[in-house]
Amino acid sequence: MTTHSFTCLSLSPSGLAHPGLAVATVRAGGIGCLDLEFTPPGDRPQVEQNFQQLLTLVKPTDAVGLRLRVDQLSGYLDLLEGLHDRPHWLILAAWTSDSLPTALATLPPTSMARHLLVEVTAVAAVQSLLNQPLKIDGLVARGHESGGWVGEDAAFILTQKLLNTGTWPVYVQGGIGIHAAAACRAAGAAGVVLDDQLWLMPESPPAC
């Protein structure tokens, strides 16, 4: 019987017309994250607008999240500073064993809980994390069903490999539905990450 907590995170592209998906996720008890990975510099005003709307439309005590590439971190430290007084999650993508420690050293301090997750597309990447004294709260098992940069393993295969390492809690991304989420929890995962499977929900800008 599984007794650990299980967290559902969603990714809402930050350049969309509004952060409806992230807001709906938070109101439903999950973690709504703005996804900045593919955001061009020219969309910065829209990113800031969606970020402020997200903070305004949910309770101050509700946790929200951001996802970005490690090389983007220095350009968005002001958004993280805006989360100083509320619990939040940070997902880092496209990192290397050299770039990740440097990026983490630049993170602004926070008075509230910050959950730091790093994406993993292959189990071999875990070894490079173990070789460094990094304060990481979990791994995102980014299966090859996910969009963007992925590895060879499907989400469930990658999840099993990461769970077998016994290192950090694992959050599964890729091909996740209601039944798959239940299977992930039964397998021992700490949560799931939903992305484009939500884009046609009523709260999503493309569905409006």
Side-chain angles (χ1 to χ4, degrees):
M1 180 177 179
T2 302
T3 57
H4 60 72
S5 60
F6 192 80
T7 304
C8 180
L9 300 95
S10 73
L11 302 180
S12 178
S14 59
L16 296 181
H18 59 75
L21 280 177
V23 172
T25 301
V26 175
R27 290 178 174 176
I31 310 296
C33 303
L34 293 183
D35 186 1
L36 282 65
E37 181 182 12
F38 297 113
T39 302
D43 282 359
R44 178 63 188 245
Q46 187 65 51
V47 171
E48 294 179 353
Q49 176 179 313
N50 285 343
F51 179 71
Q52 293 302 326
Q53 284 185 338
L54 173 60
L55 299 187
T56 300
L57 295 175
V58 301
K59 298 177 181 178
T61 54
D62 288 334
V64 298
L66 294 174
R67 175 183 179 268
L68 39 83
R69 302 189 313 270
V70 162
D71 66 300
Q72 292 176 300
L73 189 56
S74 60
Y76 288 101
L77 291 179
D78 57 325
L79 298 190
L80 284 169
E81 291 172 353
L83 297 174
H84 175 272
D85 58 352
R86 70 185 306 150
H88 60 277
W89 293 59
L90 175 61
I91 304 175
L92 294 180
W95 54 272
T96 65
S97 58
D98 294 327
S99 64
L100 186 58
T102 302
L104 296 184
T106 68
L107 289 177
T110 176
S111 63
M112 301 296 287
R114 172 189 290 148
H115 293 268
L116 175 63
L117 307 182
V118 295
E119 292 185 352
V120 174
T121 59
V123 69
V126 176
Q127 187 60 45
S128 66
L129 295 176
L130 292 173
N131 293 333
Q132 304 184 57
L134 303 175
K135 294 183 179 180
I136 296 172
D137 298 300
L139 308 174
V140 175
R142 189 172 173 81
H144 68 204
E145 307 94 333
S146 305
W149 294 104
V150 295
E152 297 182 355
D153 287 330
F156 291 114
I157 300 299
L158 180 57
T159 296
Q160 292 176 54
K161 291 181 178 180
L162 293 177
L163 288 173
N164 284 337
T165 66
T167 51
W168 291 279
V170 177
Y171 300 80
V172 190
Q173 181 178 354
I176 303 297
I178 296 176
H179 302 297
C184 289
R185 179 170 187 175
V192 293
V193 181
L194 306 179
D195 46 25
D196 53 5
Q197 58 264 72
L198 299 177
W199 287 2
L200 293 181
M201 297 295 286
E203 297 86 356
S204 173
C208 295

